[in-house]
Amino acid sequence: MRKVNKELADLQEKFRVFYNENLGEKFAGLETIRVKHLRFFWKWLFIFGFISIAFIYFCVIGVIPSSFFDHDISAWIIFLYLAVVFMVLHEPFADYKAETKNMTMDKILNFFGNFTYHGGRCTPSEDIDKSVLFGYYDKQTGDDFFTGKYKDVKIQVSEERLTRRVKTKNGYRDALVFGGIIIVLEMNKKFLGQTIVRKDWGIFNFLMMAPSCRIGQQSVKMSRVQLEDSVFEKQFEVFSTDQIEARYLLTTAFMERILEVKRRFHGKKIRLSFFGSKLMIAMETSQDMFETTSLFTTTARYGRMREVVNQFYAIFSTIDVLKLNQHLGL
């Protein structure tokens, strides 16, 4: 752990120099944009607050009769009003976030390697489906997305949500299937079969169904893989179409690296899939990642940038931890 902290401290020091030389002026220039959006937010918050107070006052003095609430149309009016309030007040946050990331994210990523940033894009649905890591979903929403190379390894990182439409007694809602970071790494070999690693269900493992995947044009049923590492076995369940290849991939050293990656993401749920020539790592998190600015915080403050560097370090160090840039018989 001491080594990891030293690595991160050195990285933070180098990035601070990079920030002062390449990004300081850009972030200073964002303050005018931030103030503009913040004024928009406070103006409309005041307007909606005045309308809401006036509505409550008129209800209390009887100008708006209590019978108003007996009609279904009144519920729709209130719902639409609240929807408008949310959309209008959310707009300055979304616009400011998009503007700042489009202006600065490419330069931040250049510190780590040759990367390109695209806001709003998602992992190709073909890769999502082939990975067999996620349940049924019918909607995919992207936030941050970047691709490039780190130490000669092709890497794609996306922050996204997968949801499915479910029926409730009051209508429909979007149920969360996955929310977090998806990392897709191009391996230096093509796998003969497919192997996936999931979170262990403990005493409920007997309920975990062995998944199926497509190898070529055929649908193949995976089988559970028994591994030697007892620590890993307690945390994960492994399924594969090729028992020999799965054990070849998931050596004791490799499993230790996976556990280290999990620790670097503060113990969040992690799942992996080896398919084709790719390794997909999916980590669930409720944290909004890669946020370099805040509408309520001056851009002169460096604290949020420090946290973003920590997040990038956790992601890119997976390649170092898993040693994917080396031909080690992964």
Side-chain angles (χ1 to χ4, degrees), residues 5 8 16-17 49 68 109 113 165 168 176 182 186 192 226 248 253 291 298 319 326:
N5 290 339
L8 184 54
R16 189 63 186 255
V17 174
F68 168 78
L109 286 166
R165 197 76 163 161
T168 66
L176 183 65
I182 297 177
E186 287 282 352
L192 299 175
Q226 299 295 329
Y248 176 69
E291 297 305 313
T298 173
I319 292 174
Q326 299 178 24

Side-chain angles (χ1 to χ4, degrees), residues 103-136:
M103 290 175 64
T104 62
M105 194 56 76
D106 277 335
K107 275 197 170 293
I108 294 171
L109 286 166
N110 283 342
F111 173 77
F112 295 93
N114 183 22
F115 289 91
T116 304
Y117 174 80
H118 303 277
R121 283 178 56 176
C122 299
T123 303
S125 58
E126 181 182 4
D127 284 348
I128 294 286
D129 297 338
K130 283 182 177 179
S131 73
V132 201
L133 290 180
F134 311 94
Y136 169 76

Side-chain angles (χ1 to χ4, degrees), residues 86-218:
F86 174 80
M87 287 189 293
V88 172
L89 294 183
H90 178 70
E91 181 181 339
F93 290 92
D95 289 349
Y96 179 59
K97 174 181 174 178
E99 287 184 55
T100 55
K101 287 193 172 181
N102 286 334
M103 290 175 64
T104 62
M105 194 56 76
D106 277 335
K107 275 197 170 293
I108 294 171
L109 286 166
N110 283 342
F111 173 77
F112 295 93
N114 183 22
F115 289 91
T116 304
Y117 174 80
H118 303 277
R121 283 178 56 176
C122 299
T123 303
S125 58
E126 181 182 4
D127 284 348
I128 294 286
D129 297 338
K130 283 182 177 179
S131 73
V132 201
L133 290 180
F134 311 94
Y136 169 76
Y137 69 96
D138 51 30
K139 185 178 180 182
Q140 188 177 10
T141 307
D143 188 357
D144 297 304
F145 180 97
F146 52 93
T147 58
K149 273 192 173 184
Y150 177 79
K151 296 187 176 179
D152 294 324
V153 176
K154 289 184 181 179
I155 180 172
Q156 171 198 293
V157 180
S158 63
E159 181 183 10
E160 56 190 86
R161 287 167 56 90
L162 305 176
T163 58
R164 67 171 178 270
R165 197 76 163 161
V166 297
K167 188 175 178 59
T168 66
K169 62 179 182 180
N170 297 319
Y172 292 88
R173 69 178 182 87
D174 288 332
L176 183 65
V177 174
F178 172 84
I181 302 297
I182 297 177
I183 304 173
V184 180
L185 303 164
E186 287 282 352
M187 306 295 285
N188 53 42
K189 63 173 293 180
K190 186 175 178 64
F191 306 116
L192 299 175
Q194 181 160 353
T195 300
I196 66 170
V197 180
R198 291 178 172 176
K199 178 177 169 52
D200 187 273
W201 288 8
I203 62 174
F204 298 105
N205 274 337
F206 70 94
L207 295 175
M208 189 182 291
M209 300 289 291
S212 297
C213 66
R214 296 198 69 82
I215 304 295
Q217 300 299 317
Q218 291 185 328

Side-chain angles (χ1 to χ4, degrees), residues 300-324:
R301 293 182 62 181
Y302 184 77
R304 295 181 70 89
M305 184 61 67
R306 180 179 296 277
E307 178 59 24
V308 170
V309 173
N310 290 347
Q311 292 169 356
F312 281 131
Y313 170 75
I315 288 174
F316 293 128
S317 64
T318 58
I319 292 174
D320 300 322
V321 171
L322 300 179
K323 301 185 186 301
L324 299 180

